[in-house]
Coordinates of all heavy atoms in Angstrom, one line a residue:
M1305 N -193.3 39.0 -101.7 CA -194.0 39.7 -102.9 C -193.1 39.7 -104.1 O -192.0 40.1 -104.0 CB -194.4 41.1 -102.4 CG -195.3 41.7 -103.5 SD -196.0 43.3 -103.0 CE -197.3 42.9 -102.0
T1306 N -193.6 39.3 -105.2 CA -192.7 39.4 -106.3 C -192.9 40.7 -107.0 O -193.9 41.5 -106.8 CB -193.3 38.2 -107.4 OG1 -194.5 38.6 -107.9 CG2 -193.2 36.8 -106.8
T1307 N -192.0 41.0 -107.9 CA -192.0 42.3 -108.5 C -193.2 42.5 -109.4 O -193.8 43.5 -109.7 CB -190.8 42.6 -109.4 OG1 -190.5 41.5 -110.3 CG2 -189.5 42.8 -108.5
T1308 N -193.9 41.4 -110.0 CA -195.0 41.5 -110.7 C -196.1 41.9 -110.0 O -197.2 42.3 -110.6 CB -195.3 40.1 -111.5 OG1 -195.4 39.0 -110.5 CG2 -194.3 39.8 -112.5
E1309 N -196.1 41.8 -108.7 CA -197.3 42.1 -107.9 C -197.2 43.5 -107.4 O -198.1 44.0 -106.7 CB -197.4 41.1 -106.6 CG -197.8 39.7 -107.1 CD -197.6 38.8 -105.9 OE1 -196.5 38.8 -105.1 OE2 -198.6 37.9 -105.6
I1310 N -196.1 44.2 -107.7 CA -195.8 45.5 -107.1 C -196.5 46.4 -108.1 O -196.1 46.7 -109.3 CB -194.4 45.7 -107.0 CG1 -193.7 44.9 -106.0 CG2 -194.0 47.2 -106.7 CD1 -192.3 44.9 -105.7
T1311 N -197.4 47.2 -107.6 CA -198.0 48.3 -108.4 C -198.3 49.5 -107.3 O -198.4 49.3 -106.2 CB -199.4 47.9 -109.0 OG1 -200.4 47.9 -108.0 CG2 -199.4 46.6 -109.6
C1312 N -198.4 50.6 -107.9 CA -198.7 51.8 -107.1 C -200.1 51.7 -106.6 O -200.3 52.3 -105.5 CB -198.6 53.1 -108.0 SG -196.9 53.4 -108.7
D1313 N -201.0 50.9 -107.2 CA -202.3 50.8 -106.6 C -202.3 50.0 -105.3 O -203.3 50.3 -104.6 CB -203.2 50.0 -107.7 CG -203.5 50.8 -108.8 OD1 -203.4 52.0 -108.7 OD2 -203.7 50.2 -109.9
S1314 N -201.3 49.3 -105.1 CA -201.1 48.5 -103.8 C -200.1 49.2 -102.9 O -199.5 48.5 -102.0 CB -200.8 47.1 -104.0 OG -199.6 47.0 -104.6
C1315 N -199.9 50.5 -102.9 CA -198.9 51.2 -102.2 C -199.4 52.5 -101.8 O -200.0 53.2 -102.5 CB -197.6 51.3 -103.1 SG -196.3 52.2 -102.4
D1316 N -199.1 52.8 -100.6 CA -199.5 54.1 -100.0 C -198.4 55.2 -100.3 O -197.9 55.9 -99.4 CB -199.7 54.1 -98.4 CG -201.1 53.7 -98.2 OD1 -202.0 53.7 -99.1 OD2 -201.4 53.4 -97.1
A1317 N -198.1 55.2 -101.6 CA -197.1 56.3 -102.1 C -195.9 56.4 -101.2 O -195.4 57.4 -100.8 CB -197.8 57.6 -102.1
A1318 N -195.3 55.1 -101.0 CA -194.0 55.2 -100.2 C -192.9 56.0 -100.7 O -192.2 56.7 -99.9 CB -193.6 53.7 -100.1
C1319 N -192.8 56.1 -101.9 CA -191.7 57.0 -102.5 C -192.0 58.3 -102.5 O -191.0 59.2 -102.5 CB -191.6 56.7 -104.0 SG -193.0 56.8 -105.0
C1320 N -193.2 58.8 -102.0 CA -193.5 60.2 -101.9 C -193.2 60.8 -100.5 O -193.5 61.9 -100.2 CB -195.0 60.5 -102.2 SG -195.4 60.1 -103.9
R1321 N -192.4 59.9 -99.7 CA -191.9 60.3 -98.5 C -190.4 60.7 -98.7 O -189.7 61.1 -97.7 CB -192.2 59.4 -97.4 CG -193.6 59.1 -97.1 CD -193.8 58.1 -96.1 NE -194.1 58.8 -94.7 CZ -194.7 58.3 -93.7 NH1 -195.2 57.0 -93.9 NH2 -194.8 58.8 -92.7
L1322 N -189.7 60.3 -99.8 CA -188.5 60.6 -100.0 C -188.3 62.1 -100.3 O -189.1 62.8 -100.8 CB -187.9 59.8 -101.3 CG -187.9 58.3 -101.1 CD1 -187.7 57.7 -102.5 CD2 -186.8 57.9 -100.1
Q1323 N -187.0 62.6 -100.1 CA -186.7 64.0 -100.5 C -186.7 64.1 -101.9 O -185.9 63.3 -102.5 CB -185.4 64.4 -99.8 CG -185.0 65.8 -100.2 CD -183.7 66.3 -99.5 OE1 -182.7 65.9 -99.9 NE2 -183.8 67.2 -98.6
V1324 N -187.4 65.0 -102.6 CA -187.4 65.2 -103.9 C -186.6 66.5 -104.3 O -187.1 67.6 -104.0 CB -188.9 65.3 -104.5 CG1 -188.9 65.6 -106.0 CG2 -189.6 64.0 -104.2
I1325 N -185.6 66.2 -104.9 CA -184.6 67.4 -105.3 C -185.1 67.9 -106.6 O -185.4 67.1 -107.5 CB -183.2 66.8 -105.4 CG1 -182.7 66.3 -104.1 CG2 -182.3 68.0 -106.0 CD1 -181.4 65.6 -104.2
L1326 N -185.3 69.2 -106.6 CA -185.8 69.8 -107.9 C -184.5 70.4 -108.7 O -183.8 71.2 -108.2 CB -186.7 71.0 -107.6 CG -187.9 70.6 -106.7 CD1 -188.8 71.7 -106.3 CD2 -188.8 69.7 -107.5
V1327 N -184.6 70.0 -110.0 CA -183.5 70.5 -110.9 C -184.2 71.0 -112.1 O -184.6 70.1 -113.0 CB -182.5 69.3 -111.3 CG1 -181.4 69.8 -112.2 CG2 -181.9 68.7 -110.0
D1328 N -184.2 72.3 -112.3 CA -185.0 72.9 -113.5 C -186.4 72.5 -113.5 O -186.9 72.2 -114.7 CB -184.2 72.6 -114.7 CG -182.8 73.3 -114.6 OD1 -182.7 74.4 -114.1 OD2 -181.9 72.8 -115.3
D1329 N -187.0 72.2 -112.5 CA -188.4 71.8 -112.5 C -189.4 73.0 -112.4 O -190.0 73.2 -111.3 CB -188.7 70.8 -111.4 CG -188.1 69.4 -111.7 OD1 -188.4 68.9 -112.7 OD2 -187.4 68.9 -110.9
N1330 N -189.4 73.8 -113.4 CA -190.0 75.0 -113.5 C -191.5 75.0 -113.4 O -192.2 75.9 -113.1 CB -189.7 75.8 -114.6 CG -188.2 76.1 -114.6 OD1 -187.6 76.3 -113.6 ND2 -187.6 76.1 -115.8
R1331 N -192.1 73.7 -113.6 CA -193.5 73.6 -113.6 C -194.1 73.4 -112.2 O -195.4 73.3 -112.1 CB -194.2 72.6 -114.6 CG -193.7 73.0 -116.1 CD -194.4 72.2 -117.1 NE -193.9 70.7 -117.0 CZ -194.3 69.8 -117.7 NH1 -195.5 70.0 -118.5 NH2 -194.0 68.5 -117.5
V1332 N -193.4 73.1 -111.2 CA -193.8 72.7 -109.9 C -194.1 74.1 -109.2 O -193.3 75.1 -109.2 CB -192.7 72.1 -109.1 CG1 -193.1 71.9 -107.7 CG2 -192.2 70.6 -109.7
P1333 N -195.4 74.3 -108.7 CA -195.8 75.5 -108.1 C -194.8 75.7 -106.9 O -194.3 75.0 -106.0 CB -197.1 75.1 -107.4 CG -197.6 74.0 -108.2 CD -196.5 73.1 -108.6
E1334 N -194.4 77.0 -106.9 CA -193.4 77.5 -105.8 C -193.8 77.3 -104.5 O -193.1 77.0 -103.5 CB -193.2 79.0 -106.1 CG -191.7 79.4 -105.6 CD -191.4 80.9 -106.0 OE1 -191.7 81.3 -107.2 OE2 -190.7 81.5 -105.2
T1335 N -195.1 77.3 -104.2 CA -195.6 77.2 -102.9 C -195.4 75.8 -102.4 O -195.6 75.4 -101.2 CB -197.2 77.5 -102.8 OG1 -197.8 76.7 -103.8 CG2 -197.4 79.0 -103.1
M1336 N -195.2 74.8 -103.4 CA -194.9 73.4 -102.9 C -193.5 73.1 -102.7 O -193.1 71.9 -102.7 CB -195.6 72.5 -103.9 CG -197.1 72.5 -104.0 SD -197.8 71.4 -105.0 CE -199.5 71.5 -104.7
T1337 N -192.6 74.1 -102.7 CA -191.2 73.9 -102.7 C -190.6 74.4 -101.4 O -191.1 75.4 -100.9 CB -190.5 74.4 -104.0 OG1 -190.4 75.8 -103.9 CG2 -191.1 73.8 -105.2
E1338 N -189.4 74.1 -101.1 CA -188.7 74.7 -99.9 C -187.2 74.6 -100.2 O -186.8 73.7 -101.0 CB -189.1 74.1 -98.6 CG -188.8 72.7 -98.4 CD -189.1 72.2 -97.1 OE1 -189.5 73.0 -96.1 OE2 -189.1 70.9 -96.9
Q1339 N -186.4 75.2 -99.4 CA -185.0 75.2 -99.5 C -184.6 74.2 -98.4 O -185.0 74.2 -97.3 CB -184.2 76.5 -99.2 CG -182.8 76.4 -99.6 CD -182.3 77.9 -99.6 OE1 -182.5 78.6 -98.7 NE2 -181.3 78.1 -100.4
S1340 N -183.8 73.2 -98.8 CA -183.3 72.1 -97.9 C -182.2 72.7 -97.0 O -181.7 73.8 -97.2 CB -182.8 71.0 -98.7 OG -181.5 71.3 -99.2
S1341 N -181.9 71.9 -96.0 CA -180.8 72.4 -95.0 C -179.5 72.4 -95.7 O -178.6 73.2 -95.2 CB -180.8 71.3 -93.9 OG -180.6 70.1 -94.4
W1342 N -179.4 71.8 -96.8 CA -178.2 71.8 -97.6 C -178.2 72.8 -98.7 O -177.1 73.0 -99.5 CB -177.7 70.4 -98.1 CG -178.7 69.7 -98.8 CD1 -179.7 68.8 -98.3 CD2 -179.0 69.8 -100.3 NE1 -180.5 68.4 -99.3 CE2 -180.2 68.9 -100.4 CE3 -178.6 70.5 -101.3 CZ2 -180.8 68.8 -101.7 CZ3 -179.1 70.3 -102.5 CH2 -180.2 69.5 -102.7
G1343 N -179.2 73.6 -98.8 CA -179.3 74.7 -99.7 C -180.0 74.4 -101.1 O -180.2 75.4 -101.8
G1344 N -180.3 73.2 -101.3 CA -180.9 72.9 -102.7 C -182.5 73.1 -102.6 O -183.0 73.1 -101.5
E1345 N -183.1 73.2 -103.7 CA -184.6 73.4 -103.6 C -185.2 72.0 -103.8 O -184.8 71.1 -104.5 CB -185.0 74.1 -105.0 CG -186.5 74.6 -104.9 CD -186.9 75.3 -106.2 OE1 -186.2 75.3 -107.2 OE2 -188.0 75.7 -106.2
V1346 N -186.2 71.7 -102.9 CA -186.8 70.4 -102.8 C -188.3 70.6 -102.7 O -188.7 71.7 -102.4 CB -186.3 69.6 -101.6 CG1 -184.8 69.3 -101.7 CG2 -186.5 70.3 -100.3
M1347 N -189.0 69.5 -103.0 CA -190.4 69.5 -102.7 C -190.6 69.6 -101.1 O -190.0 69.0 -100.3 CB -191.0 68.2 -103.1 CG -191.2 68.1 -104.7 SD -192.2 69.4 -105.4 CE -193.8 69.1 -104.8
L1348 N -191.6 70.4 -100.8 CA -192.0 70.6 -99.4 C -192.6 69.4 -98.8 O -193.5 68.8 -99.5 CB -193.0 71.7 -99.3 CG -193.5 72.1 -98.0 CD1 -192.5 72.6 -97.0 CD2 -194.6 73.1 -98.1
R1349 N -192.2 68.9 -97.7 CA -192.9 67.8 -97.1 C -193.6 68.3 -95.8 O -193.0 69.1 -95.1 CB -191.8 66.6 -96.7 CG -191.5 65.9 -98.0 CD -190.6 64.7 -97.6 NE -189.2 65.2 -97.3 CZ -188.2 64.4 -97.0 NH1 -188.5 63.1 -97.0 NH2 -187.1 64.9 -96.8
R1350 N -194.8 67.6 -95.5 CA -195.5 68.1 -94.3 C -195.0 67.3 -93.1 O -194.2 66.4 -93.3 CB -197.0 67.9 -94.5 CG -197.6 68.7 -95.6 CD -199.0 68.7 -95.7 NE -199.6 69.0 -97.0 CZ -200.8 68.7 -97.3 NH1 -201.6 68.1 -96.4 NH2 -201.3 69.0 -98.4
D1351 N -195.6 67.6 -91.9 CA -195.1 66.9 -90.7 C -195.5 65.3 -90.8 O -194.6 64.6 -90.1 CB -196.0 67.4 -89.6 CG -195.6 68.9 -89.3 OD1 -194.5 69.3 -89.8 OD2 -196.3 69.6 -88.5
D1352 N -196.4 64.9 -91.6 CA -196.6 63.3 -91.7 C -195.5 62.7 -92.6 O -195.5 61.5 -92.7 CB -197.9 63.1 -92.2 CG -198.3 63.7 -93.7 OD1 -197.2 64.2 -94.3 OD2 -199.4 63.6 -94.1
G1353 N -194.5 63.5 -93.1 CA -193.4 62.9 -93.9 C -193.7 62.9 -95.5 O -192.8 62.8 -96.2
W1354 N -194.9 63.0 -95.8 CA -195.2 62.9 -97.2 C -195.1 64.3 -98.0 O -195.3 65.3 -97.4 CB -196.7 62.5 -97.5 CG -196.7 61.0 -97.6 CD1 -196.2 60.1 -98.6 CD2 -197.4 60.1 -96.7 NE1 -196.6 58.8 -98.2 CE2 -197.4 58.7 -97.2 CE3 -198.2 60.3 -95.5 CZ2 -197.8 57.6 -96.4 CZ3 -198.7 59.2 -94.8 CH2 -198.5 57.9 -95.3
C1355 N -194.8 64.3 -99.3 CA -194.8 65.5 -100.0 C -196.1 66.2 -99.9 O -197.2 65.6 -100.0 CB -194.5 65.0 -101.5 SG -194.5 66.3 -102.8
T1356 N -195.9 67.5 -100.0 CA -197.2 68.4 -100.0 C -198.0 68.2 -101.1 O -199.3 68.5 -100.9 CB -196.8 69.8 -99.7 OG1 -197.9 70.6 -99.2 CG2 -196.3 70.4 -101.0
A1357 N -197.6 67.7 -102.3 CA -198.3 67.6 -103.4 C -199.3 66.4 -103.5 O -200.2 66.1 -104.3 CB -197.5 67.6 -104.7
L1358 N -199.0 65.5 -102.4 CA -199.8 64.3 -102.3 C -201.2 64.5 -101.7 O -201.3 65.1 -100.6 CB -199.0 63.3 -101.6 CG -199.7 61.9 -101.5 CD1 -199.3 61.2 -102.8 CD2 -199.0 61.0 -100.3
D1359 N -202.2 64.1 -102.5 CA -203.6 64.1 -101.9 C -203.7 63.1 -100.7 O -203.5 61.9 -101.1 CB -204.7 63.8 -102.9 CG -206.1 64.1 -102.5 OD1 -206.4 63.4 -101.5 OD2 -206.8 64.6 -103.2
R1360 N -203.9 63.5 -99.6 CA -203.9 62.5 -98.5 C -205.1 61.6 -98.4 O -205.1 60.6 -97.8 CB -203.9 63.2 -97.1 CG -202.4 63.5 -96.5 CD -201.7 64.2 -97.4 NE -200.3 64.5 -96.8 CZ -199.3 65.1 -97.4 NH1 -199.3 65.5 -98.6 NH2 -198.2 65.3 -96.7
T1361 N -206.1 61.9 -99.2 CA -207.3 61.0 -99.3 C -207.1 60.0 -100.3 O -207.3 58.7 -100.1 CB -208.5 61.8 -99.5 OG1 -208.7 62.9 -98.6 CG2 -209.8 61.0 -99.6
T1362 N -206.8 60.4 -101.5 CA -206.6 59.4 -102.6 C -205.2 58.9 -102.8 O -205.0 57.9 -103.4 CB -206.9 60.1 -104.0 OG1 -205.9 61.1 -104.2 CG2 -208.2 60.9 -104.0
M1363 N -204.3 59.4 -102.0 CA -202.8 59.0 -102.2 C -202.3 59.2 -103.6 O -201.5 58.3 -103.9 CB -202.7 57.6 -101.6 CG -203.1 57.6 -100.1 SD -202.4 58.9 -99.0 CE -200.7 58.2 -98.7
L1364 N -202.8 60.1 -104.2 CA -202.3 60.4 -105.7 C -201.6 61.8 -105.7 O -202.1 62.6 -104.9 CB -203.5 60.4 -106.7 CG -204.2 59.0 -106.7 CD1 -205.5 59.0 -107.6 CD2 -203.3 57.9 -107.3
C1365 N -200.8 61.9 -106.7 CA -200.1 63.2 -106.7 C -201.1 64.2 -107.6 O -201.7 63.9 -108.5 CB -198.9 63.0 -107.7 SG -198.0 64.4 -108.1
T1366 N -201.2 65.4 -106.8 CA -202.1 66.5 -107.4 C -201.5 67.2 -108.6 O -202.1 68.1 -109.2 CB -202.5 67.4 -106.2 OG1 -201.3 68.0 -105.7 CG2 -203.3 66.6 -105.2
I1367 N -200.1 67.1 -108.8 CA -199.5 67.8 -109.7 C -198.9 66.7 -110.8 O -197.8 67.0 -111.3 CB -198.3 68.8 -109.2 CG1 -197.4 68.1 -108.5 CG2 -199.0 69.8 -108.5 CD1 -196.1 68.9 -108.2
Y1368 N -199.5 65.6 -111.1 CA -198.9 64.5 -111.7 C -198.4 64.9 -113.1 O -197.2 64.6 -113.5 CB -200.1 63.5 -111.9 CG -199.5 62.3 -112.5 CD1 -198.8 61.3 -111.7 CD2 -199.6 61.9 -113.8 CE1 -198.3 60.1 -112.2 CE2 -199.0 60.7 -114.5 CZ -198.4 59.8 -113.6 OH -197.9 58.7 -114.2
D1369 N -199.2 65.7 -113.8 CA -198.7 66.2 -115.2 C -197.5 67.0 -115.1 O -196.7 67.2 -116.1 CB -199.8 66.9 -116.0 CG -200.8 65.8 -116.4 OD1 -200.6 64.7 -116.3 OD2 -202.0 66.3 -116.8
D1370 N -197.3 67.7 -114.0 CA -196.2 68.7 -113.8 C -195.2 68.2 -112.8 O -194.4 69.0 -112.3 CB -196.7 70.1 -113.4 CG -197.5 70.7 -114.6 OD1 -197.2 70.4 -115.8 OD2 -198.5 71.4 -114.2
R1371 N -195.3 67.0 -112.4 CA -194.4 66.4 -111.3 C -192.9 66.5 -111.7 O -192.6 66.5 -112.9 CB -194.8 65.0 -111.1 CG -194.5 63.9 -112.1 CD -195.2 62.7 -111.7 NE -194.8 61.6 -112.6 CZ -195.2 61.4 -114.0 NH1 -196.0 62.5 -114.5 NH2 -194.9 60.4 -114.7
P1372 N -192.1 66.7 -110.7 CA -190.7 66.8 -111.0 C -190.0 65.6 -111.7 O -190.6 64.5 -111.6 CB -190.0 66.8 -109.4 CG -191.2 67.3 -108.6 CD -192.4 66.7 -109.3
Q1373 N -188.9 65.9 -112.3 CA -188.3 64.8 -113.2 C -187.9 63.7 -112.3 O -187.9 62.5 -112.8 CB -187.0 65.5 -113.8 CG -186.4 64.5 -114.9 CD -187.3 64.2 -116.0 OE1 -188.0 65.1 -116.6 NE2 -187.4 62.9 -116.4
I1374 N -187.4 63.9 -111.1 CA -187.0 62.8 -110.1 C -188.1 61.9 -109.9 O -187.9 60.6 -109.8 CB -186.4 63.4 -108.9 CG1 -185.5 62.3 -108.3 CG2 -187.4 64.0 -107.9 CD1 -184.7 62.8 -107.1
C1375 N -189.4 62.3 -109.9 CA -190.6 61.6 -109.7 C -190.8 60.7 -111.0 O -191.3 59.6 -110.9 CB -191.8 62.4 -109.3 SG -191.5 63.3 -107.8
R1376 N -190.7 61.4 -112.1 CA -190.9 60.7 -113.4 C -190.0 59.6 -113.6 O -190.3 58.5 -114.2 CB -190.7 61.7 -114.6 CG -191.7 62.8 -114.6 CD -191.4 63.8 -115.6 NE -192.2 64.9 -115.4 CZ -193.4 65.1 -116.0 NH1 -193.9 64.1 -116.8 NH2 -194.2 66.1 -115.8
D1377 N -188.7 59.7 -113.1 CA -187.7 58.7 -113.2 C -187.8 57.5 -112.2 O -187.1 56.6 -112.5 CB -186.2 59.4 -113.1 CG -186.0 60.4 -114.3 OD1 -186.7 60.3 -115.3 OD2 -185.2 61.3 -114.1
F1378 N -188.6 57.8 -111.2 CA -188.6 56.7 -110.2 C -189.4 55.5 -110.7 O -190.7 55.8 -111.0 CB -189.2 57.3 -108.8 CG -189.1 56.4 -107.6 CD1 -187.9 56.7 -106.8 CD2 -189.9 55.4 -107.4 CE1 -187.6 55.8 -105.7 CE2 -189.6 54.7 -106.3 CZ -188.5 54.8 -105.4
E1379 N -188.9 54.4 -110.9 CA -189.5 53.3 -111.6 C -190.2 52.4 -110.7 O -189.7 51.8 -109.7 CB -188.5 52.6 -112.3 CG -189.0 51.7 -113.5 CD -187.9 51.2 -114.2 OE1 -186.7 51.6 -114.3 OE2 -188.1 50.0 -114.9
M1380 N -191.5 52.1 -111.0 CA -192.3 51.1 -110.3 C -191.7 49.8 -110.4 O -191.3 49.4 -111.6 CB -193.7 51.1 -110.8 CG -194.6 50.2 -110.0 SD -196.3 50.3 -110.7 CE -196.1 49.4 -112.1
G1381 N -191.4 49.1 -109.2 CA -190.9 47.7 -109.4 C -189.3 47.7 -109.4 O -188.7 46.7 -109.3
S1382 N -188.7 49.0 -109.3 CA -187.2 49.0 -109.3 C -186.8 48.7 -107.9 O -187.5 48.6 -106.9 CB -186.7 50.4 -109.6 OG -187.2 51.4 -108.7
V1383 N -185.4 48.5 -107.7 CA -185.0 48.2 -106.4 C -185.3 49.3 -105.4 O -185.6 49.0 -104.2 CB -183.4 48.0 -106.4 CG1 -182.7 47.9 -105.2 CG2 -183.0 46.8 -107.4
E1384 N -185.1 50.5 -105.9 CA -185.5 51.7 -105.0 C -187.0 51.5 -104.6 O -187.3 51.9 -103.3 CB -185.2 53.0 -105.7 CG -183.8 53.3 -106.0 CD -183.2 52.5 -107.3 OE1 -183.9 51.9 -108.0 OE2 -182.0 52.5 -107.5
C1385 N -187.7 51.3 -105.5 CA -189.2 51.2 -105.2 C -189.5 50.1 -104.2 O -190.2 50.3 -103.1 CB -190.1 50.9 -106.4 SG -191.7 50.2 -106.3
I1386 N -188.9 49.0 -104.4 CA -189.1 47.7 -103.4 C -188.6 48.2 -102.1 O -189.2 47.8 -101.0 CB -188.4 46.5 -104.0 CG1 -189.2 46.1 -105.2 CG2 -188.5 45.4 -103.0 CD1 -188.5 45.0 -106.1
N1387 N -187.4 48.8 -101.9 CA -186.9 49.2 -100.8 C -187.8 50.2 -100.0 O -188.0 50.0 -98.8 CB -185.5 49.9 -101.0 CG -184.3 48.8 -101.3 OD1 -184.6 47.7 -101.1 ND2 -183.3 49.3 -101.9
E1388 N -188.4 51.1 -100.6 CA -189.3 52.0 -100.0 C -190.5 51.4 -99.5 O -191.1 51.7 -98.5 CB -189.6 53.3 -101.0 CG -188.4 54.2 -101.2 CD -187.8 54.6 -99.9 OE1 -188.4 55.1 -99.0 OE2 -186.4 54.5 -99.9
R1389 N -191.1 50.5 -100.3 CA -192.2 49.8 -100.0 C -191.9 48.9 -98.7 O -192.7 48.9 -97.6 CB -192.7 48.8 -101.0 CG -193.4 49.6 -102.2 CD -193.6 48.6 -103.4 NE -194.6 47.6 -103.1 CZ -195.7 47.5 -103.5 NH1 -196.4 48.5 -104.1 NH2 -196.6 46.6 -103.0
D1390 N -190.8 48.3 -98.7 CA -190.5 47.4 -97.6 C -190.3 48.3 -96.4 O -190.7 48.0 -95.2 CB -189.1 46.6 -97.8 CG -189.3 45.6 -98.8 OD1 -190.5 45.2 -99.0 OD2 -188.3 45.0 -99.2
A1391 N -189.7 49.5 -96.4 CA -189.5 50.4 -95.3 C -190.8 50.9 -94.8 O -191.1 51.0 -93.6 CB -188.6 51.5 -95.7
S1392 N -191.7 51.1 -95.6 CA -193.0 51.7 -95.3 C -193.8 50.7 -94.7 O -194.4 50.9 -93.6 CB -193.7 52.1 -96.7 OG -195.1 52.5 -96.4
F1393 N -193.7 49.4 -95.1 CA -194.5 48.4 -94.4 C -194.0 48.0 -93.1 O -194.8 47.6 -92.1 CB -194.5 47.0 -95.4 CG -195.3 47.2 -96.5 CD1 -194.8 46.7 -97.8 CD2 -196.5 47.8 -96.6 CE1 -195.6 46.7 -99.0 CE2 -197.3 48.0 -97.9 CZ -196.8 47.4 -99.0
S1394 N -192.7 48.2 -92.9 CA -192.1 47.9 -91.6 C -192.5 48.8 -90.6 O -192.3 48.7 -89.3 CB -190.6 47.8 -91.8 OG -190.0 49.1 -92.0
L1395 N -193.0 50.0 -91.0 CA -193.4 51.1 -90.0 C -194.8 50.7 -89.5 O -195.2 51.3 -88.6 CB -193.6 52.4 -90.8 CG -192.2 53.1 -91.2 CD1 -192.4 54.3 -91.9 CD2 -191.3 53.3 -90.0
L1396 N -195.6 49.8 -90.2 CA -197.0 49.5 -89.8 C -197.0 48.7 -88.6 O -196.0 48.0 -88.2 CB -197.7 48.8 -91.0 CG -197.8 49.6 -92.3 CD1 -198.4 48.7 -93.3 CD2 -198.6 50.8 -92.1
Ligands
LIG191 S1 -193.3 53.7 -107.5 FE1 -193.1 52.1 -106.0 S2 -192.9 53.1 -104.0 FE2 -193.7 54.6 -105.5 S3 -196.0 54.4 -105.2 FE3 -195.4 53.1 -106.9 S4 -195.2 51.2 -106.0 FE4 -195.1 52.7 -104.3
LIG192 S1 -194.6 65.6 -106.6 FE1 -196.1 64.1 -106.7 S2 -195.0 62.2 -107.3 FE2 -193.5 63.6 -106.6 S3 -193.2 63.1 -104.4 FE3 -194.7 64.7 -104.6 S4 -196.7 63.7 -104.7 FE4 -195.2 62.2 -105.1

């Protein structure tokens, strides 16, 4: 797959299974956060591995306008994005 074919529309939110570290992300609902094993504040992930803010039906972020900075900075088509997509597809 080329990078021009990579869009979030053809992806089951692979990057939303990564640990999302919160840094001064005051607009994220507290109920969607937890303390990590190393002591930092992160987005809560459910047993299926995805972030709790992800709508499991639409696979869209339910707090998109208030999403953490790390999510805003994660670039579609970047090396990190491609790696997460590849890792996700290899699980199928
Ligand atoms: S940024 Fe990349 S990994 Fe994340 S949902 Fe979009 S295509 Fe998938
Ligand atoms: S906050 Fe939204 S964009 Fe960020 S990981 Fe969770 S569901 Fe994905």
